[in-house]
Amino acid sequence: MKKTILKKPKGFIDVYKHKAGAEKDRTHYCPGCGHGILHKLIAEAMEDLDIVDDTILISPVGCSVFAYYYFDTGNFQAAHGRAPAVATATSRANPDKVVISYQGDGDLAAIGGNNIIQAANRGENIVVFFVNNAIYGMTGGQMAPTTLEGQVTTTTPYGRNTDTDGYPMKMCEVISQFTAPTYVERVSLHDAPHIRKTRAAVRKALQNAKERKGFQFVEVLSTCPSGWKMDPVKSMEWVKEKMLPLYPLGVYRDKGDEARVINRPVPIMEPATVWEKLGISADADVDFPRGDVPEQYKKMSIRVAGFGGQGIMVTGQALASVALEYGYNVSWLPSYGPEMRGGTANCSVNIQDGVIGAAEAVKPTMLLAMNRPSLEKFEESVVPGGTLIYNSTLIDIEPTRTDIKVFAIPITGMADELGNTRVQSLVNIGAYAAITGAFRVEDIVSLLPKLFKGKKQAIIDLNAKAVKAGFDFVKENF
Amino acid sequence: MARMLMKGNYASVYGAAMAGCTAYYGYPITPASEIAESAAALFPKLGRTFVQAESEVAAINMVYGAAGSGQRVMTGSSGPGISLKMEGISYCAGAALPCVIVDIMRGGPGLGNIGPEQSDYNQVVKGGGHGNYRCIVLAPASCQEMCDFTFQAFELADKYRIPVFVLTDGVIGQMMESVVIPEPVKELPDKSDYAVFGTPLNKNLVNSIYIDHDDLENWNLELLKKYKAIEKAEVKFEEYMMDDAEIALIGYGSVSRVLRTVVDDCRAKGLKVGLFRPITLFPFPKNEIAALPGRGIKNVLTVELSTGQLVDDVDLALSGVIKSDLYFRLGGNVPSADEISNKISELYGEVK
Ligand SMILES: Cc1ncc(C[n+]2csc(CCOP(=O)(O)OP(=O)(O)O)c2C)c(N)n1
């Protein structure tokens, strides 16, 4: 009689080289454990579908933590529950590969519950093999989310009490709530006919994955003789009698031919194209020639303050943007803390040559106060000999300082006259240019298209008028 | 030169994109959200991956997957999110995976607030997660450095196969400065010896388990060797007016900028004050700080936005040879230059 030698499927590594210890030819699973059977079905399917060399397997934390001992694929070992997250990134990095997330019920439904739900909902191009053995095997038989009502485990010594522990979680039912998954089926390993059905489900999921057809989820009802403290035969019966009624077998989702093929873009790495795509260009630098700037305006520390909505941040950013084009070092810092709420806002701008130290204008050389509270709050902080610009449209008190230069400018009024309160910011820039001599009007105007990128020409034109108005007002009145 | 005015948070992502980072995985949190937002804006234009993960836990495990797949990959977060990432960072360290994590520190503990603090120092610089591991930690103090250090972080990460932190606070993340964008990398390192691509010739394993006790001990010793090599080769710091200084101010990140102003103010008053700014927090410039007394430094004042996390390392380096003091602000408050100058007068009034 001819002896049939049961061939090890090609999906398995010949010698389990990663396995610690001497026994490099057998698995670490207990007799009668479902993991071993499922491993074999997967390894055979990988061989038959010719994907052994195109597969990456993520081992979880749980009894299958060492799945990587056996599969002749690329292998990751992931943190507890996180295999779907690891698989997500692995699949994004290797879009044409089959990526398997192999997980137990504690791993998938408890600690990693959100990760599996989110990966399913994103429709990641991965296959999930989910071993539901109603218990934590690896750690010695504690309750899993899938543990049955009344089932005794080491952490439910009086049986799972639904009042305190909730009910068994049905993950196929959960996963099939989402729109994205392609294929969701629950199968079982408790007898030969069902193992054949599991074999078919494994193949279908892997075939879909080979075709890059999105998220595949196969839940496998499985035995844990050690955790359940039963012999293997009793375990099989237990699955049939106790688990099947609770966890109905069958297909929960099959998009069939409707399933979309997931394509991912190829990263652009060519340096010139990278810059082009991001609109970065060395030619965009302007470097205006500087005019005659009096000594006191060469190193500026400016506080711009007012109500939210008065263009405070825009004024500060525009100051920094323009100064930058004259080759100054600049910084802009928005205000922090409680004053951000309650409708007031302020920012700090530094304009100078050399390294800028503290970014906040604690002792500003210039204060631009757009409303009364700002004037009251910051007037004292201006350095002696510094400059105060205040919005005389809205501020009905006189500044008290006599040791600083004061410019009362009807900023809001001028903007309103131009037809749009929002151009206040550029009135400010015009005024700043006139006072300090640091910017020329035509330079500022030439930068407006860059500052207001994507805005209509009419807006740019109006802001150009605002710059001129602010500049002229200072020149005519001071 | 390609010069742009941008926030530190954006600058960091530009640096990453130029360094050939092909994947960003992150979860929003103030004041780091603009990192995710700018990656979401820039990466799709380059056919690169951006995923808003379901949590920081997921994000760092995605980073693990991407790094193990040979990608240059990045995530960004702040305080609470960094705490959540710690297990995953430990896995990255244990599997020797290179990755870049940007931490824009905010106020803690707990939900704290979104103001700038430096209170993640201990968890980031000392390891933070479980196990004996270190991450390289770079501490930028400007938007240009946010860009440049993030770029360099990828180089260091690959050089040592190690997670690298870019650690700064909300001030640097939120402020805008002019940034010169570096040239994109031309070539990325070959990682086929360890990364998993799912090809027949590359059946690698990304793993941090060593079941055998001796194996794990040896692996830890390997890691230790790596950290020693990093301590030898990668220390970075900056000095300002230190040559004739008698008082050294020590601070990193946004604090170091305030300290620079303090030095200028003190010098104007004739006080011999200088600034020593650690740029790498691991490796910490401990030899350089230990050498300060020998260079004529009589007093050291550490200023930080935490209750004495940085000063622990300063003191360890100084080993009590000279007096070391601490000044800190918390909760989102940033000390003004005057405040620190007053402290200096109060502490060392006699020094001239
Ligand atoms: C963060 C974390 N928490 C807890 C553990 C301990 N742990 C290891 S395996 C496991 C349970 C695994 O059970 P399950 O996913 O059902 O897989 P099984 O062992 O039954 O196959 C637990 C809690 C861990 N490794 N990591």
Side-chain angles (χ1 to χ4, degrees):
Chain A
M1 212 177 92
K2 257 211 287 189
K3 213 166 100 187
T4 340
I5 297 172
L6 277 177
K7 182 172 70 77
K8 195 188 244 182
K10 283 230 174 63
F12 286 141
I13 300 176
D14 265 346
V15 178
Y16 303 143
K17 58 182 178 187
H18 294 304
K19 193 173 178 226
E23 297 176 337
K24 300 210 188 284
D25 57 347
R26 68 198 70 171
T27 76
H28 71 287
Y29 294 112
C30 311
C33 166
H35 282 301
I37 305 172
L38 181 59
H39 278 27
K40 184 140 185 274
L41 297 177
I42 295 170
E44 284 172 355
M46 288 197 306
E47 177 177 1
D48 294 350
L49 296 173
D50 195 21
I51 55 169
V52 179
D53 290 341
D54 296 303
T55 298
I56 300 170
L57 184 121
I58 322 290
S59 304
V61 169
C63 283
S64 44
V65 64
F66 298 124
Y68 66 82
Y69 283 175
Y70 312 118
F71 289 99
D72 192 19
T73 56
N75 280 291
F76 278 84
Q77 195 291 315
H80 196 16
R82 314 306 169 203
V86 175
T88 293
T90 306
S91 157
R92 300 291 184 117
N94 299 285
D96 53 348
K97 301 298 173 183
V98 174
V99 177
I100 299 173
S101 177
Y102 188 109
Q103 302 183 258
D105 42 24
D107 194 80
L108 181 137
I111 192 166
N114 193 24
N115 301 112
I116 191 64
I117 280 174
Q118 303 289 339
N121 192 48
R122 283 192 302 267
E124 293 299 339
N125 208 20
I126 63 175
V127 183
V128 179
F129 291 120
F130 167 41
V131 175
N132 176 355
N133 59 11
I135 205 157
Y136 282 17
M138 181 74 162
T139 39
Q142 296 83 9
M143 180 185 72
T146 46
T147 292
L148 310 196
E149 192 174 340
Q151 186 183 337
V152 172
T153 70
T154 59
T155 49
T156 52
Y158 313 110
R160 182 176 190 164
N161 175 349
T162 52
D163 285 349
T164 51
D165 309 322
Y167 294 83
M169 276 172 83
K170 304 180 176 185
M171 291 310 293
C172 276
E173 286 82 339
V174 171
I175 297 301
S176 56
Q177 293 307 304
F178 301 112
T179 309
T182 300
Y183 170 56
V184 179
E185 181 167 1
R186 182 181 289 124
V187 291
S188 173
L189 294 172
H190 67 278
D191 61 19
H194 284 90
I195 291 175
R196 272 200 298 282
K197 279 193 181 159
T198 304
R199 180 175 182 272
V202 166
R203 273 157 202 263
K204 179 165 183 156
L206 289 174
Q207 178 65 40
N208 281 350
K210 187 179 174 184
E211 295 166 23
R212 300 203 307 271
K213 284 190 177 162
F215 190 83
Q216 323 293 326
F217 188 88
V218 180
E219 174 175 344
V220 183
L221 302 187
S222 185
T223 47
C224 182
S226 303
W228 297 348
K229 313 211 174 3
M230 280 175 216
D231 65 44
V233 176
K234 271 292 284 291
S235 299
M236 299 286 193
E237 280 164 16
W238 197 82
V239 171
K240 188 176 165 190
E241 278 166 27
K242 303 284 186 183
M243 291 182 76
L244 284 194
L246 181 68
Y247 294 113
L249 303 183
V251 175
Y252 285 76
R253 165 74 56 79
D254 188 356
K255 285 190 177 169
D257 294 338
E258 305 283 286
R260 263 187 323 124
V261 172
I262 308 278
N263 287 310
R264 304 284 186 208
V266 179
I268 294 167
M269 304 306 284
E270 204 278 311
T273 319
V274 167
W275 271 27
E276 187 199 313
K277 293 277 177 193
L278 297 185
I280 301 169
S281 158
D283 306 335
D285 297 347
V286 192
D287 286 321
F288 296 129
R290 290 190 197 172
D292 268 340
V293 181
E295 203 52 39
Q296 74 172 118
Y297 295 124
K298 280 192 173 149
K299 186 174 183 215
M300 297 300 291
S301 174
I302 308 159
R303 173 92 70 176
V304 186
F307 292 127
Q310 275 188 309
I312 303 303
M313 301 299 163
V314 178
T315 299
Q317 287 178 7
L319 276 174
S321 302
V322 176
L324 175 68
E325 306 295 3
Y326 288 91
Y328 287 105
N329 284 336
V330 299
S331 73
W332 170 89
L333 178 73
S335 64
Y336 253 114
E339 70 266 31
M340 267 171 72
R341 295 180 287 275
T344 65
N346 77 78
C347 63
S348 298
V349 177
N350 286 288
I351 300 174
Q352 66 180 76
D353 289 315
V355 180
I356 298 171
E360 188 173 356
V362 178
K363 292 191 291 183
T365 59
M366 177 184 281
L367 170 64
L368 176 43
M370 294 294 286
N371 65 3
R372 183 172 161 172
S374 305
L375 178 65
E376 287 170 341
K377 182 167 179 196
F378 294 115
E379 185 182 352
E380 274 315 305
S381 68
V382 179
V383 293
T387 305
L388 165 66
I389 304 173
Y390 75 96
N391 181 9
S392 57
T393 313
L394 297 184
I395 299 178
D396 52 5
I397 52 165
E398 292 287 319
T400 54
R401 294 277 294 269
T402 52
D403 61 338
I404 56 177
K405 284 194 189 157
V406 177
F407 296 85
I409 304 177
I411 297 163
T412 307
M414 287 164 69
D416 285 343
E417 235 166 71
L418 287 167
N420 189 339
T421 318
R422 291 173 65 178
V423 301
Q424 288 176 105
S425 300
L426 272 293
V427 173
N428 290 338
I429 305 303
Y432 179 90
I435 292 167
T436 62
F439 312 150
R440 291 184 312 169
V441 169
E442 53 270 41
D443 293 344
I444 303 170
V445 170
S446 76
L447 288 176
L448 291 176
K450 196 169 152 185
L451 286 177
F452 293 95
K453 215 171 169 177
K455 291 268 158 57
K456 288 198 198 98
Q457 188 58 39
I459 304 264
I460 291 169
D461 291 345
L462 195 62
N463 277 292
K465 280 189 192 155
V467 174
K468 287 193 190 93
F471 186 89
D472 291 344
F473 184 89
V474 171
K475 286 291 174 201
E476 283 158 21
N477 293 284
F478 301 100
Chain B
M1 223 169 58
R3 191 176 62 191
M4 292 160 93
L5 184 72
M6 65 172 77
K7 286 191 175 185
N9 281 340
Y10 277 77
S12 164
V13 175
Y14 273 93
M18 298 309 132
C21 171
T22 46
Y24 184 97
Y25 295 97
Y27 189 84
I29 182 169
T30 310
S33 293
E34 288 132 349
I35 298 180
E37 288 164 2
S38 47
L42 300 187
F43 277 32
K45 289 186 183 173
L46 301 175
R48 304 187 188 180
T49 303
F50 170 84
V51 172
Q52 179 170 327
E54 58 270 28
S55 67
E56 290 85 352
V57 175
I60 192 66
N61 283 283
M62 290 171 183
V63 165
Y64 177 89
S69 303
Q71 286 187 304
R72 283 195 162 174
V73 57
M74 169 181 177
T75 187
S77 192
S78 180
I82 297 296
S83 301
L84 279 180
K85 285 182 197 290
M86 281 301 169
E87 183 202 27
I89 296 168
S90 169
Y91 271 71
C92 289
L97 293 182
C99 58
V100 173
I101 305 144
V102 184
D103 179 3
I104 311 295
M105 290 181 280
R106 57 185 254 166
L111 202 49
N113 67 25
I114 59 170
E117 253 193 18
Q118 296 179 323
S119 44
D120 290 355
Y121 182 95
N122 278 348
Q123 71 163 342
V124 167
V125 173
K126 308 292 176 172
H130 58 288
N132 298 293
Y133 75 91
R134 293 297 196 123
C135 301
I136 293 176
V137 184
L138 308 177
S142 68
C143 297
Q144 184 68 56
E145 287 184 350
M146 283 293 279
C147 178
D148 295 346
F149 288 11
T150 306
F151 191 115
Q152 288 159 22
F154 284 98
E155 305 283 350
L156 287 168
D158 281 336
K159 181 172 171 190
Y160 293 102
R161 286 184 57 186
I162 191 173
V164 179
F165 266 94
V166 175
L167 181 72
T168 195
D169 55 71
V171 173
I172 306 297
Q174 300 288 318
M175 72 187 288
M176 279 179 146
E177 287 182 303
S178 110
V179 175
V180 175
I181 308 292
E183 297 265 339
V185 284
K186 295 201 178 65
E187 227 174 310
L188 291 171
D190 173 31
K191 305 184 181 180
S192 53
D193 57 330
Y194 72 89
V196 176
F197 307 135
T199 58
L201 291 177
N202 148 272
K203 296 205 167 165
N204 290 317
L205 165 66
V206 171
N207 182 25
S208 60
I209 308 176
Y210 295 83
I211 282 294
D212 182 87
H213 296 192
D214 290 337
D215 288 349
L216 184 56
E217 182 170 62
N218 287 331
W219 173 236
N220 268 279
L221 293 175
E222 276 303 303
L223 289 176
L224 188 61
K225 236 190 259 168
K226 168 156 86 181
Y227 304 142
K228 295 274 179 218
I230 289 167
E231 286 190 303
K232 224 170 171 179
E234 306 297 346
V235 170
K236 280 206 185 109
F237 58 94
E238 188 192 4
E239 292 187 350
Y240 179 57
M241 302 271 188
M242 282 294 285
D243 285 346
D244 64 340
E246 293 176 358
I247 299 171
L249 304 178
I250 301 188
Y252 70 98
S254 71
V255 171
S256 71
R257 299 177 65 121
V258 180
L259 294 181
R260 178 180 274 271
T261 302
V262 173
V263 169
D264 288 341
D265 293 352
C266 287
R267 289 277 169 174
K269 290 187 283 183
L271 285 176
K272 289 189 172 168
V273 177
L275 164 65
F276 184 95
R277 169 196 166 210
I279 290 176
T280 51
L281 299 176
F282 180 82
F284 193 71
K286 53 185 173 193
N287 296 333
E288 292 71 15
I289 290 177
L292 293 179
R295 292 171 59 188
I297 295 294
K298 297 191 175 110
N299 295 96
V300 167
L301 175 62
T302 299
V303 182
E304 56 183 288
L305 305 180
S306 39
T307 50
Q309 301 190 23
L310 171 65
V311 79
D312 278 354
D313 282 334
V314 171
D315 283 347
L316 217 54
L318 288 173
S319 30
V321 173
I322 53 169
K323 187 160 145 43
S324 160
D325 293 291
L326 167 66
Y327 185 69
F328 60 78
R329 290 300 304 270
L330 304 167
N333 290 314
V334 177
S336 70
D338 280 356
E339 205 175 320
I340 298 167
S341 291
N342 291 342
K343 190 75 197 169
I344 292 170
S345 309
E346 184 191 315
L347 285 169
Y348 322 117
E350 73 280 5
V351 184
K352 259 272 144 66

